Amino acid sequence: MVFEEIYMVQAYIENREEIQRNREINGATINISGRQRMLLQRTALFCFRFVYDRDENDRRIWRNRLIDTINLMEKSHQALIYGDPRMNLPGITSEAIRNMYFEAPMMADYHIREYIGAVENLIQSSVAELTPDNHYFNYIQNAASYELLDILDELVSEYEKESDTQLERLYGQQEALYRQIANAAAVAQAQNQQLAKLMSDLKQSQLQVIHAEKMSSLGQLLAGVAHEINNPVNFICSNLIFARQYAQELIGILNLYTQEYPTPPLDIQNEANAIELEFLVQDFPKLLDSMKLGTNRITNIVKAIKNFSRLDGVDLQIADIHESLDSTLVILQHRLKAKGEFSGIEIVKEYDKLPPVYCYPGQLNQVFMNILSNAIDVLETQPAPRIITIRTKLKQNRSVAIAICDNGLGMTEQVRAKIFDPFFTTKPIGKGTGLGLSISYNIIVEKHQGSIWCVSEPGKGTEFWIELPIEGESHSLNSAIIPETKIGFSEIPC
Ligand SMILES: Nc1ncnc2c1ncn2[C@@H]1O[C@H](COP(=O)(O)OP(=O)(O)O)[C@@H](O)[C@H]1O
Ligand SMILES: [Mg+2]
């Protein structure tokens, strides 16, 4: 939580405590001011009984009660004006109430003291003076019924009014603070979520970068090895031409010798028989031919490796898609051919006539490699026939479509929906990383503004589709994944 939020929560708590304190003070103030009103009337009633009761004893009782009551009234009055912590009374805080106590026309303080004074005077009156027309008695009755009662009524209602206003203000503050906290919490939560997403994106892209880095250094290594092999293969190749020529010349001379000397000395005849000269002469050119074939094959592999591990620069380069596909197939040759029980995987190519495409050829090769490897992975686990079909198609002279289809087990809808997610794999640990298709998606969609999608159903094989703009920018489909319903098996354009 940031400091601002902590401060807001603190303010909210303090505000609640203030409300609580205010409630207590207001409650006490209103209680005691209401009690004043009640004491006023009680005093008037006791005065009445005090004046009218003829019995000396009863009179004493009323006097004592009157003394108690006015003492209480005095105490309440002091507490209201000057405060009393034991009663939770802070003293007068509002200007309006202060005026009501001390200023004309109300002058409540003066009237209350006068009232208390009148009661004290009445109590001290002689028995003879205690008549219904006693001056103090009449004053008390009148004040308790009208004048002072009205003053106290007004004071009580002013206390109530101010308490309500005060509480309303505090409630308003509380609501505003609560709203601020709720907003801040919502913002913080959104930020947290954003941060968590950023962190996981960062982690994923870090791993992808590491993977891509690994692939790139492997590619460089491969290119280096290919380069190293290239030179010796080249001189074997070029020397083979001379070797063939020399061999033919040597054989020519030998034939000439045989014609001139049909019966050579016994030593030579024995040696010729020992080395099977006749067979050697026939086999030598064939041997050279197969050496030529072998070196040609090495040359092709080296070429494919060099093509496959092309280092991409910052700019798009012109590339031949078919050459890329074929190079990738050469690299994967060892996984395609038959060995032992495994009868191999057949590759069917249905290539359209394609123009050169602006792209990052090294990255594109990686995509072909990932998709073809996945097809081989699935075909390896099932019986023959195992077929991978590669189709290409030029679309309205603006983009090229490449389809890599296998007749493997296919995928369920749940699997298909996740194949482009980073780290999604159905393969055992050590075999699958779940990065191949997510990286491919990134290369095709982000780097080439192309599209990649997959059509697959259990038992019906899998088709991966790639569409690339020829000029290096998307002219057609921009959405990355076209739902299966949009392009079905029957609508395959190539
Ligand atoms: N041709 C295919 N046939 C069946 N399933 C496939 C095929 N290609 C990809 N998949 C599924 O997609 C998942 C993700 O593939 P990928 O990203 O290359 O990661 P990985 O190959 O490391 O598992 C695979 O684990 C597999 O379940
Ligand atoms: Mg894979």
Side-chain angles (χ1 to χ4, degrees), residues 261-313:
Y261 305 102
T263 38
L266 201 61
D267 281 4
I268 295 178
Q269 261 184 48
N270 282 347
E271 190 56 30
N273 286 342
I275 62 165
E276 294 181 72
L277 184 64
E278 218 169 299
F279 170 77
L280 193 148
V281 167
Q282 274 174 15
D283 200 45
F284 196 28
K286 285 186 201 162
L287 193 133
L288 288 171
D289 281 348
S290 79
M291 279 169 78
K292 176 98 183 75
L293 211 73
T295 46
N296 278 352
R297 227 186 260 173
I298 296 173
T299 314
N300 280 342
I301 293 171
V302 167
K303 213 171 115 192
I305 292 174
K306 279 172 87 179
N307 187 16
F308 181 81
S309 49
R310 264 172 86 162
L311 278 181
D312 296 326

Side-chain angles (χ1 to χ4, degrees), residues 99-100 102-108 111 147 151:
N99 288 346
M100 287 168 91
F102 298 109
E103 306 285 329
M106 209 82 80
M107 294 192 293
H111 287 292
E147 204 179 340
I151 291 171

Side-chain angles (χ1 to χ4, degrees), residues 315-444:
D315 297 325
L316 295 165
Q317 298 171 42
I318 274 186
D320 178 342
I321 296 290
H322 293 152
E323 202 178 75
S324 288
L325 285 163
D326 291 343
S327 305
T328 312
L329 285 169
V330 171
I331 306 278
L332 287 169
Q333 195 53 40
H334 69 290
R335 295 193 66 194
L336 296 168
K337 65 183 178 202
K339 41 184 168 237
E341 298 273 277
F342 183 67
S343 60
I345 297 169
E346 188 189 341
I347 300 289
V348 177
K349 293 182 200 171
E350 295 173 16
Y351 288 173
D352 196 4
K353 201 168 160 26
L354 295 186
V357 172
Y358 276 96
C359 62
Y360 299 102
Q363 293 184 16
L364 220 51
N365 289 338
Q366 203 189 330
V367 173
F368 296 149
M369 171 69 101
N370 289 339
I371 296 175
L372 284 165
S373 301
N374 283 344
I376 296 170
D377 282 347
V378 74
L379 290 175
E380 270 174 347
T381 64
Q382 65 174 66
R386 306 179 190 93
I387 306 162
I388 295 177
T389 310
I390 307 174
R391 302 184 181 110
T392 57
K393 180 90 185 158
L394 176 62
K395 290 181 84 183
Q396 294 160 353
N397 245 341
R398 293 205 306 212
S399 59
V400 292
I402 304 133
I404 298 174
C405 319
D406 66 65
N407 66 334
L409 297 169
M411 295 172 227
T412 60
E413 177 54 37
Q414 288 96 314
V415 170
R416 201 188 63 86
K418 291 198 191 126
I419 53 171
F420 294 110
D421 292 354
F423 309 108
F424 173 78
T425 181
T426 55
K427 293 169 195 172
I429 299 169
K431 192 147 200 325
T433 59
L435 283 173
L437 289 178
S438 83
I439 287 174
S440 304
Y441 177 93
N442 192 272
I443 292 173
I444 299 297

